[in-house]
Amino acid sequence: MNNSLLIHTAVPSLLATMDALTLEPDFQIFFKKAAAAVRALLGADGTALILLDDDNQTFEYKLFEGEQQHLLNGFKGLRFSATTGISGRVLTSKTSIFTRDYPNAPDAMEQLIDAGLQSNLVIPLISSDKVLGVLASSWFAHTNSVADISPQLLTLAERIASQIAVACHREKLEAQLRALATIDPLTKLLNRRGILQCVDDSLEKLHRYNRPFALFFIDVDGLKSANDHWGHETGDVLLRDVAQRLSDVVRKGDQLGRLGGDEFLIIAECDASHIDILANRFLQALRIPYGTGRKRGRLSGSIGVVLAPQDGVDEINLLRKADAAMYVAKSQGGDRFQRASVKSELPQETQISIVDVEGALERNELQLWYQPICQLNDLSLVGFEALLRWCKPDGEIISAGPLIQTFESARGDLEFRLGNWVLREAARQMQLWSKNSLAPDIHINISPRHFLHPSFLAELQTLCEQQQGFGAALIIEITETAMLEDLERAKRIMLRCRDLGARMAVDDFGTGYASLTYIKRLPLDMIKIDRSFVAELPVNKVDWDITQGIVSIAHALGLAVVAEGAEAFEQIGSLRELGCDQVQGYFIHRPMPFDDANAWLQHKSLRATTDQYNAKKVSKTTKAIANQEKGNALSRLTTAFSVPQEFVDPRFSVAQRSKNRSA
Ligand code: C2E
Ligand code: MG
Ligand code: MG
């Protein structure tokens, strides 16, 4: 084509074609036609579209149009650094580069030389001053080599390239718009429409593959008062925080979306046995303290849970039931979950008021029950965790959960008084143990507010002074929330506790929001891995990996690791394999009243002594005690291990350890 023909005939008709092409709604068809026009214009064998990814770091080979499809189709999806190749140079210079002798170019790519690329012209695709990628026209070895590209041809090819760039830009914006239709702009989670589409998908999978799933309908408690108090901007920050925390705890494959306002929905493939663990995980993630000083508050969540197919197999029905269950949870004070088909978790009579707790404290109806904590290697006893119980005169026993919930939400000093009662009671009971030369460690849970209370240290100091050995036996368990509420203050208090001889443990680790970075900055001795990570061991690969990660980092920081909630023998095996140090859980023993714990402790140490003399024989007394514990896990333990020293190693007996300690 001579120049005058080109400029007077070809150019206008080509431009007209290009303008018409911009109306083509299908980007692929548009590209094919536009690339064919460039190819014909240049006499090239093909033209490729190579685009930059969103962060401009990588090129991706998207489309190829031309005669050598068979050669270059294989490159579709090829990704390479935005700083390499001729494309990299074009990106930096924002100008077209023609390379006549491609194989000998310094930045030629091996794959393209192997494919027979002889020459190429790479044009930047620029729209709104931004380089989106490049358009690369190629000549292959078999064709007559191309001498050069005239400036007119180049201008024309660049003009078509700029049309392609505009179309690429439009395509990108449209994709973003499509995403926006299902994305919540505030939290970047799926919006109502997006998450409801996922409910439909889950129902489809239920029908086709029989895969049950649960819906967790979450309403954030306390957001309204945060909004009223702090304004909507803070409310938005909190909502984003809620979204982030929930995203952190949902399992891979589960779906999370915001239904609107302060309502979220999680879809999780699971059966009834997993609901408690998941719901507790979400509740824990939602316990968010915010603000400082007097303007402080807390968020939590009320969760309604439905299970498909048990509770329904259509979207409307399931959501209605989940919503209603959520209201039940909310009406009970929030910070709890409610299964739709199950009656309220706490029967009416166990709804506890502050007056109840005050009364129980006054009437001496509160008790500390003790749950053993053992070394994992031999299952010898190391200590007990003191757990609060309300033993009503009619024999009913109320566990710690509802009590804690009530006193933690109470105004005034009930939480502090009750916390101090726990400390004093544990110290008193420990004295009875030390009289018998037994000194198990005592783990005491201290609520966040109590821990940060100005008089906590004074009370602790008095107890440690009054009672020798209490400080050394004491392990203070606090949750991640307590530490994060005021990190520097928490650190100071921890150091003072250490001065008194006490050790510090983070309770329920992994469910809160403390990262290991925080852990590193605090004077801690121990991490207690939450039981939700233990429950599905060894089958749950994610929990396995998380636990493994926590253990290795904790050990690197010199912290001991206790695993909570081991209920089955396989879990003990897994935890050993994962390198945990200590274990607690129903497999060893449920929490028990002081007298039972005392008998159990005596029996454990008696057993250790007996075994020193006769490894294979179990004494009559020990057998008798073991028989008394019908149904409890220790009897399973005795049968599980026929060789006693495997789990009762005298080196680790409490009596021996207390001697070591006093030595
Ligand atoms: P925690 O400190 O993580 O205590 C362990 C909880 O897990 C106890 O529940 C215990 O009974 C339960 N548990 C232990 N092993 C297993 C197991 O194998 N399977 C299952 N399913 N559960 C197991 P509990 O006694 O109801 O206490 C609940 C929470 O209440 C405690 O969790 C602790 O955070 C809090 N708490 C208990 N006593 C006190 C107290 O005196 N003061 C304060 N501030 N909080 C307390
Ligand atoms: Mg605890
Ligand atoms: Mg715990």
Side-chain angles (χ1 to χ4, degrees), residues 3 6-7 42 148-159:
N3 276 354
L6 186 78
I7 289 163
L42 297 173
D148 210 347
I149 309 267
S150 70
Q152 291 94 336
L153 272 185
L154 184 61
T155 310
L156 215 45
E158 283 176 340
R159 172 77 199 268

Side-chain angles (χ1 to χ4, degrees), residues 385 445 477 507 528:
E385 175 166 9
N445 296 283
E477 293 193 6
D507 204 357
K528 294 187 80 178

Side-chain angles (χ1 to χ4, degrees), residues 385-387 443-445 477 507-508 528 564 584:
E385 175 166 9
L387 296 158
H443 291 239
I444 296 183
N445 296 283
E477 293 193 6
D507 204 357
D508 306 337
K528 294 187 80 178
E564 303 187 288
Q584 173 181 3

Side-chain angles (χ1 to χ4, degrees), residues 257-322:
R258 178 170 167 234
L259 288 168
D262 56 3
E263 287 176 354
F264 293 80
L265 188 74
I266 293 174
I267 311 169
E269 261 188 29
C270 68
D271 56 33
S273 64
H274 291 92
I275 283 181
D276 288 21
I277 292 172
L278 292 174
N280 280 321
R281 207 176 267 186
F282 304 148
L283 286 174
Q284 184 75 33
L286 289 168
R287 292 184 188 126
I288 307 175
Y290 62 89
T292 49
R294 282 160 161 264
K295 284 188 165 184
R296 264 207 311 215
R298 245 169 218 281
L299 297 185
S300 57
S302 298
I303 307 182
V305 192
V306 281
L307 198 61
Q310 286 91 325
D311 299 320
V313 286
D314 69 285
E315 183 190 296
I316 293 172
N317 213 3
L318 284 169
L319 284 173
R320 196 174 42 75
K321 284 187 181 172

